[in-house]
Amino acid sequence: AQSVTQLGSHVSVSEGALVLLRCNYSSSVPPYLFWYVQYPNQGLQLLLKYTTGATLVKGINGFEAEFKKSETSFHLTKPSAHMSDAAEYFCAVTGANSKLTFGKGITLSVRP
Amino acid sequence: GAVVSQHPSWVICKSGTSVKIECRSLDFQATTMFWYRQFPKQSLMLMATSNEGSKATYEQGVEKDKFLINHASLTLSTLTVTSAHPEDSSFYICSARVAGHSYEQYFGPGTRLTVT
């Protein structure tokens, strides 16, 4: 079984500030981890993924995430927030059954 | 590459009628497609896994007679909501998995269903 925990439902940052969105996972097998972004009334867009290899992964739009097995975490960061980053962000894990399990999502707001 | 489309993008139907939603992989073959449901301000809930040429596998609690899934080709899966009721109103999203890549899914833009 696998699960994802995204604490909090809303994060607000100022434009230009650091973005940190937290994700912790539980998996009985080595996990594949994903971050997706969803804009209103749209589908999901893959930001980045971790499968194997380098634990620091870089994605689109300046986002990156670090897989920390000892902490069972896969937090998403971006050094400098942009207004266009305002959206819903989902962390997801897949395991042996190849099904994606999503966290409940977190809304990112960016203040001018 | 790896584009998934859904049609329609939104639909309004009357209670008791059926509505079909199409999910297409435009530039790749998808042996497996997934159907999700998303309520406002909530996460995605997997409804079923659809494999080309075989019956769909439904998640626990999902009524297979109400949500009919057909995956007739490597590029098309359909979800039919039968005898729709207002509680079926939701955002339905499909995803497609590239043949040979067991972990990566590409998502469609979603279909907003409103049942009146």
Side-chain angles (χ1 to χ4, degrees):
Chain A
Q2 56 210 33
S3 65
V4 173
T5 301
Q6 292 183 253
L7 292 178
S9 60
H10 185 229
V11 169
S12 180
V13 301
S14 297
E15 191 173 20
L18 171 72
V19 175
L20 170 60
L21 303 180
R22 299 179 185 274
C23 172
N24 289 88
Y25 70 91
S26 172
S27 178
S28 56
V29 297
Y32 292 159
L33 295 157
F34 306 82
W35 275 99
Y36 290 91
V37 61
Q38 185 180 34
Y39 297 99
N41 295 308
Q42 294 187 29
L44 273 66
Q45 181 181 10
L46 179 66
L47 279 176
L48 49 80
K49 63 180 184 286
Y50 168 79
T51 54
T52 58
T55 56
L56 180 63
V57 292
K58 296 184 184 298
I60 61 172
N61 302 338
F63 284 95
E64 62 182 37
E66 185 170 11
F67 170 61
K68 292 187 176 181
K69 183 178 179 180
S70 61
E71 299 177 8
T72 60
S73 69
F74 191 57
H75 302 329
L76 181 71
T77 60
K78 182 174 180 177
S80 178
H82 191 272
M83 296 297 290
S84 61
D85 295 327
E88 189 81 10
Y89 290 81
F90 293 95
C91 181
V93 63
T94 188
N97 62 10
S98 298
K99 293 180 182 178
L100 276 174
T101 299
F102 288 89
K104 62 182 178 60
I106 190 159
T107 302
L108 175 65
S109 299
V110 182
R111 304 185 300 272
Chain B
V3 177
V4 176
S5 70
Q6 279 185 245
H7 178 80
S9 55
W10 60 271
V11 58
I12 301 173
C13 69
K14 292 185 181 296
S15 187
T17 63
S18 295
V19 61
K20 179 184 286 188
I21 302 169
E22 292 185 349
C23 176
R24 292 182 185 272
S25 57
L26 298 184
D27 51 3
F28 65 99
Q29 293 185 334
T31 52
T32 303
M33 290 184 172
F34 302 87
W35 287 95
Y36 296 86
R37 184 174 181 176
Q38 186 180 31
F39 291 102
K41 302 295 184 183
Q42 294 189 28
S43 189
L44 280 74
M45 180 191 77
L46 179 65
M47 299 174 66
T49 303
S50 165
N51 290 296
E52 187 264 339
S54 63
K55 290 184 178 181
T57 302
Y58 291 82
E59 295 299 301
Q60 192 172 9
V62 177
E63 298 176 62
K64 58 183 177 182
D65 294 331
K66 181 168 190 58
F67 298 100
L68 300 179
I69 291 172
N70 184 275
H71 192 162
S73 77
L74 287 173
T75 59
L76 174 65
S77 177
T78 59
L79 168 68
T80 301
V81 182
T82 62
S83 187
H85 291 282
E87 56 265 31
D88 299 325
S89 298
S90 191
F91 194 53
Y92 292 88
I93 303 176
C94 73
S95 70
R97 190 163 67 198
V98 178
H101 291 75
S102 63
Y103 55 83
E104 192 149 0
Q105 296 180 27
Y106 297 92
F107 286 81
T111 296
R112 173 76 58 194
L113 170 63
T114 301
V115 184
T116 61

